[in-house]
Amino acid sequence: MTDDKITTVELGRGGPQVGVQGLGCMGMSEFYGATDEQAARETLETALAAGVTLFDTADIYGNGANETFLAPFVGAHRDEITLATKFAIERKDDDPHYRGVRNDPAYIRRAVENSLRRLDTDVIDLYYMHRRDPAVPLAESVGAMAELVRQGKVRQLGLSEVTGAELREAHAVHPIAAIQSEWSLFSRDVETSAASAAAELGVTFVPYSPLGRGFLTGAFTDAAKELSAGDFRTSQPRFTGDNAKRNAALLEPVHRIAAAHGASAAQVALAWVQQRARVHGLAVVPIPGTRRSSRLLENVAATRLVLTDEELALLEPIAGQVAGARYPDMSSTAAARE
C-alpha cells in the first residue's frame, strides 16, 4: 500500500469524480453485531484520507441512526465527499421484524425530508430507490425523485436491485447516475441484464456486499456458530449449516491466488469486482463496509491489485456453485423479476 490516494471515476455521465472504491456505512450502526463508534469515526476519516469519497447510507440502517451518526462527518467534509442515501424500505417502531417497501410519491417526499434532517444537510448528492415495489408504476416513482432534483434537494438519482429493463425504463424518465446491487464472486445475478444496461446507458455500477458480507474474507465459516445471535448474517441461507460448509470449500482458489500475490482473500475478492469494469465496459465503484481503519486500508489497496486472465478463469465458476440464496426471501430483489 502506497501513500497515494486511489484513482477516481465519473459517477454517471457528467457526474462528479469519486474514488474508485466507496465505503458502505451500514455496519457502523446495525446488522453486524456490536460496533465501536469512535473506531467507526476514525475509519471515516481514514477512508477520506485514502481517496474514498463516496459514502453510502440509507434511512433503514439503524432506523435512521446511521444517517444521524454520519451527520458530523458530512458537515465537516461536505465539499470533499459524495453523500449517498436511500429510501423505500419501511420499518415500524412497534415491530422490529417488519420490512415494507414503499415507492409512492408521498412517501418519497416524506423520506427525503427526514433524511436531510438526520444528515443535517440541505442536499443529498445521490438518492437511491432502495427496493422496487412493482405495484407502483416506475415512472411515477422516478418522476417524484426527479422533482427532488428540480427542487435542489437531490443532485443525482440511483436505483438498487433493479433489472436491466427497469433501469432503461427509469432512465427514460430521468437520467440515472448509479445502480446499486449485490455483486461479488458469490453473487452475479446482475450480469443477467443490469450490467449490460448500465454499460449501455453510462450508469455507474455500485456493488454492495462485494465481500459476501465478510464470508469471502474468511472472517467466519458458519454464521450460526460463530456470530452473535442478533447478527443479520445468521439468517442468510448461504452462511449457515451445510450450505456454509460447501461454500467455504469454494474459496480455495481465492486463497491460492491471494498467496501468489502476497495479498488477502478480501483483496482478491475486491479486485475481481473492480475488474468487472473492464469485462463489462462500465464504471464500477464497490462499497465494501468496515468499521476498522486497518480493514479500510486493506480494502483500498485492492484497487491496485490486477488479476491475470488465468486467475480470473479460476474464479469464474465459483458463483454457479454457491449453495443457498442471498436472502431468505428473494421477492424484493431484481432476480425475482428477471
Side-chain angles (χ1 to χ4, degrees):
M1 175 73 185
T2 71
D3 293 330
D4 296 334
K5 291 187 176 183
I6 60 175
T7 58
T8 64
V9 67
E10 190 175 64
L11 184 65
R13 285 180 178 162
Q17 291 286 315
V18 297
V20 74
Q21 186 181 112
L23 179 62
C25 300
M26 179 181 79
M28 294 179 175
S29 297
E30 193 182 17
F31 297 109
Y32 294 156
T35 186
D36 180 332
E37 182 173 315
Q38 182 57 38
R41 293 200 181 283
E42 291 172 1
T43 299
L44 293 173
E45 297 291 344
T46 300
L48 185 59
V52 173
T53 55
L54 178 63
F55 293 83
D56 183 273
T57 183
D59 58 5
I60 186 182
Y61 302 158
N63 203 14
N66 195 240
E67 290 180 325
T68 301
F69 166 79
L70 286 175
F73 175 75
V74 172
H77 301 288
R78 192 64 192 91
D79 296 335
E80 302 170 77
I81 69 170
T82 297
L83 174 64
T85 192
K86 318 177 195 70
F87 74 89
I89 303 180
E90 185 179 39
R91 300 177 73 165
K92 293 182 177 179
D93 292 336
D94 59 353
D95 183 356
H97 301 292
Y98 177 80
R99 301 288 187 272
V101 178
R102 294 281 300 274
N103 290 174
D104 56 282
Y107 181 82
I108 295 171
R109 289 190 290 269
R110 289 197 305 273
V112 75
E113 295 298 338
N114 288 334
S115 287
L116 288 167
R117 173 179 52 80
R118 287 188 293 260
L119 289 161
D120 195 21
T121 188
D122 57 3
V123 63
I124 294 164
D125 298 315
L126 176 60
Y127 199 43
Y128 286 102
M129 178 190 294
H130 205 164
R131 291 292 186 271
R132 168 96 171 94
D133 177 6
V136 179
L138 192 54
E140 189 175 310
S141 303
V142 178
M145 295 169 71
E147 182 60 29
L148 302 179
V149 177
R150 289 189 285 272
Q151 293 171 355
K153 297 176 181 179
V154 170
R155 290 195 172 108
Q156 291 182 293
L157 302 184
L159 301 173
S160 180
E161 288 285 354
V162 295
T163 67
E166 289 168 337
L167 177 57
R168 290 188 180 91
E169 181 182 352
H171 196 79
V173 176
H174 186 280
I176 302 300
I179 176 174
Q180 181 176 139
S181 290
E182 188 165 353
W183 201 359
S184 73
L185 282 168
F186 268 23
S187 301
R188 297 176 62 176
D189 306 354
V190 298
E191 296 178 29
T192 302
S193 68
S196 58
E200 172 191 321
L201 299 171
V203 175
T204 297
F205 214 109
V206 180
Y208 73 79
S209 297
L211 295 174
R213 303 190 185 278
F215 192 85
L216 293 172
T217 73
F220 67 97
T221 56
D222 189 320
K225 294 179 179 179
E226 300 169 51
L227 304 180
S228 61
D231 194 300
F232 168 67
R233 293 168 289 187
T234 61
S235 67
Q236 293 186 293
R238 59 180 49 168
F239 298 150
T240 59
D242 289 341
N243 285 350
K245 185 176 181 180
R246 289 176 57 189
N247 293 338
L250 297 176
L251 298 180
E252 189 278 331
V254 178
H255 293 294
R256 184 157 26 108
I257 293 167
H261 284 274
S264 67
Q267 289 172 326
V268 171
L270 284 171
W272 181 89
V273 175
Q274 299 277 182
Q275 287 182 234
R276 298 297 92 190
R278 175 170 58 84
V279 174
H280 292 275
L282 77 171
V284 175
V285 183
I287 50 168
T290 184
R291 298 171 290 197
R292 295 165 53 188
S293 291
S294 59
R295 292 297 187 195
L296 185 286
L297 294 174
E298 177 183 337
N299 290 345
V300 297
T303 66
R304 303 180 181 95
L305 175 60
V306 178
L307 303 179
T308 67
D309 289 343
E310 292 77 12
E311 290 167 339
L312 292 173
L314 287 174
L315 300 173
E316 182 66 24
I318 291 176
Q321 301 175 57
V322 172
R326 292 197 278 132
Y327 297 99
D329 178 2
M330 290 284 288
S331 62
S332 292
T333 68
R337 299 189 303 277
E338 289 284 7

